[in-house]
Amino acid sequence: MEKFSERFSDRRLCRISGLFPVILICLLFVSLCGCSMQSDSSSSEKTPEESESATREVYAMDTYMTLTAYGASADDAVSEASRRLYELDAELSATDESSQIYALNNRLSDQVSGDAAAVLSASIRLSSLTEHCFDISVYPLVCAWGFPTREYRIPSGEEINSLLSHTGMEGISFDESTGTVTFADDQMMIDAGAIAKGYASDVVADIFRSHDITSGLISLGGNVCALGSKTDGSDWNVAIQDPSSPSDPNAYAGIVSCSDAFLITSGSYQRYFTEDGKRYCHIIDPSTGYPADNGLASVTVISSSGTEGDALSTALYVMGLERASEFWRNSTDLRFDAIFITEEGKIYVTEGIAGDFESSLAEPEVISRS
Ligand code: AMP
Ligand code: MG
């Protein structure tokens, strides 16, 4: 397969070898002051790009985010990006009463614009490209299982069947020229939770580039963008969380070497509840209405688009290993690589990234084209 020159990594904690101490220092500083503009003590020997950095921590979209930029405009870049993240959070949330998505779901408006329109349009396209495994119309089911409120419950089969009849992207019509959205029935609702952070990472990367930032890290929960390369020109090394130790941010399953790439992870460990010894995760299979349960613990997608990578990671998780591998083999409209970790701890990687991924847990099995 064509190898991606752009790569990524995951998650709550990125370990960036070499620069990790610098970033750690930034984070400590941020916790005291909110934001930092930092100069290295040996800056006299370094270029401006190497000596100036800024880090900002943001809590938005229900997750902790860390933005780090290197370069003369680093502070302006992270300031503008954090403002945009709060805006995106307010606009794309399904639960914030002032959001466009909330207004649609509660029939307060049938219009979307700006980011909400862009996300809806991308969602319709990506649902169709992922055999509807990514489907923002599953929201009534997400609610029935109690994920937005964390009041978890197991709906009856009857309730699930009834709710399934109010889902399906074919029930959403979107007129992009007017911004008008029409739902097939009164109970349909949408949720951008599986794509909003990926879209946000694209927005932040664009803001960084507009400030001439050629080296930066954007970590939005399980979504990471490694912008450019490290200031010394070498690849970023980003860790992928070990899904079997979700509460230990230092437990990683492997490291991806990458530059200019988005690495986005979906996994059952990110949100779930357990009842009678069985785990129910937050990713719903749109064809059954039940949480996906096919032996995967996590899927990490590596691509050149945050929006596509986010929709894909959710869709591949729903597909499960075999179907997702076949989907990757046949995919021509979407270019990506992926790392699959099973509940048994086995690791599978598509051949395009096999040479740039090292695991500390298990020897990865390579998924090849043929
Ligand atoms: P992610 O972590 O990107 O895989 O997104 C998971 C979130 O997206 C869930 O918490 C739900 O809000 C929503 N969701 C669940 N299942 C799906 C699905 N099959 N397609 C789209 N969104 C989903
Ligand atoms: Mg997703």
Side-chain angles (χ1 to χ4, degrees):
M1 117 138 211
E2 181 179 329
K3 186 172 155 182
F4 255 104
S5 59
E6 298 157 320
R7 288 251 137 168
F8 306 62
S9 115
D10 150 1
R11 77 151 316 318
R12 286 179 213 156
L13 180 70
C14 312
R15 294 188 153 204
I16 300 119
S17 69
L19 284 175
F20 183 65
V22 174
I23 286 166
L24 190 58
I25 290 165
C26 288
L27 295 182
L28 291 172
F29 192 82
V30 165
S31 66
L32 294 173
C33 310
C35 174
S36 73
M37 184 68 180
Q38 180 169 315
S39 290
D40 192 292
S41 55
S42 57
S43 61
S44 57
E45 293 168 18
K46 295 186 173 181
T47 66
E49 284 71 23
E50 289 169 323
S51 61
E52 292 180 38
S53 69
T55 292
R56 183 72 58 94
E57 288 198 316
V58 173
Y59 186 80
M61 299 181 172
D62 216 14
T63 196
Y64 290 98
M65 305 177 166
T66 306
L67 313 178
T68 303
Y70 297 87
S73 304
D75 198 41
D76 289 344
V78 296
S79 297
E80 186 181 336
S82 49
R83 273 197 304 276
R84 279 289 278 138
L85 284 169
Y86 291 124
E87 269 173 30
L88 288 169
D89 188 4
E91 195 160 324
L92 301 176
S93 160
T95 51
D96 184 328
E97 294 186 11
S98 64
S99 87
Q100 292 195 30
I101 305 288
Y102 182 92
L104 277 185
N105 286 344
N106 291 278
R107 309 301 188 262
L108 304 172
S109 161
D110 63 357
Q111 298 289 309
V112 285
S113 59
D115 297 307
V119 166
L120 181 56
S121 176
S123 297
I124 291 169
R125 173 178 158 262
L126 289 163
S127 186
S128 136
L129 289 176
T130 57
E131 303 167 0
H132 298 284
C133 289
F134 166 78
D135 181 339
I136 59 170
S137 75
V138 293
Y139 193 49
L141 287 152
V142 173
C143 293
W145 286 92
F147 286 104
T149 54
R150 290 184 166 81
E151 288 167 13
Y152 302 118
R153 58 188 281 273
I154 301 176
S156 69
E158 207 175 38
E159 183 180 356
I160 287 177
N161 283 337
S162 155
L163 290 173
L164 275 173
S165 68
H166 304 295
T167 65
M169 296 298 283
E170 66 285 349
I172 302 173
S173 309
F174 178 38
D175 181 340
E176 293 193 18
S177 62
T178 60
T180 306
V181 182
T182 313
F183 290 117
D185 76 61
D186 253 8
Q187 291 184 51
M188 285 195 79
M189 294 193 291
I190 58 169
D191 162 28
I195 193 170
K197 288 203 285 286
Y199 175 81
S201 64
D202 280 331
V203 169
V204 172
D206 283 344
I207 290 171
F208 276 23
R209 289 187 198 105
S210 76
H211 286 276
D212 296 326
I213 302 298
T214 54
S215 179
L217 273 167
I218 300 157
S219 175
L220 315 182
N223 293 16
V224 171
C225 170
L227 187 74
S229 48
K230 291 199 279 188
T231 53
D232 65 3
S234 61
D235 278 352
W236 299 103
N237 294 313
V238 194
I240 294 176
Q241 176 72 27
D242 177 356
S244 66
S245 305
S247 55
D248 179 358
N250 293 314
Y252 56 92
I255 303 268
V256 180
S257 301
C258 58
S259 61
D260 249 338
F262 293 78
L263 190 152
I264 297 185
T265 299
S266 286
S268 51
Y269 69 90
Q270 292 171 339
R271 187 171 296 180
Y272 64 91
F273 69 95
T274 307
E275 195 157 313
D276 292 335
K278 184 168 167 49
R279 179 187 279 209
Y280 297 90
C281 82
H282 66 137
I283 299 173
I284 305 293
D285 181 340
S287 69
T288 64
Y290 284 81
D293 179 20
N294 47 35
L296 283 178
S298 74
V299 178
T300 299
V301 169
I302 298 123
S303 84
S304 57
S305 156
T307 306
E308 290 184 1
D310 200 356
L312 273 168
S313 69
T314 307
L316 299 187
Y317 190 88
V318 168
M319 288 179 192
L321 179 63
E322 271 187 35
R323 184 175 167 196
S325 303
E326 209 41 38
F327 177 80
W328 169 79
R329 286 190 189 97
N330 298 327
S331 187
T332 48
D333 295 316
L334 297 167
R335 293 182 164 205
F336 63 97
D337 278 300
I339 299 167
F340 302 92
I341 305 179
T342 69
E343 281 167 357
E344 293 173 336
K346 290 190 181 157
I347 303 181
Y348 298 81
V349 298
T350 56
E351 65 186 1
I353 50 140
D356 295 320
F357 176 69
E358 274 183 32
S359 174
S360 46
L361 288 186
E363 184 63 33
E365 191 167 309
V366 178
I367 301 168
S368 56
R369 277 278 173 208
S370 48

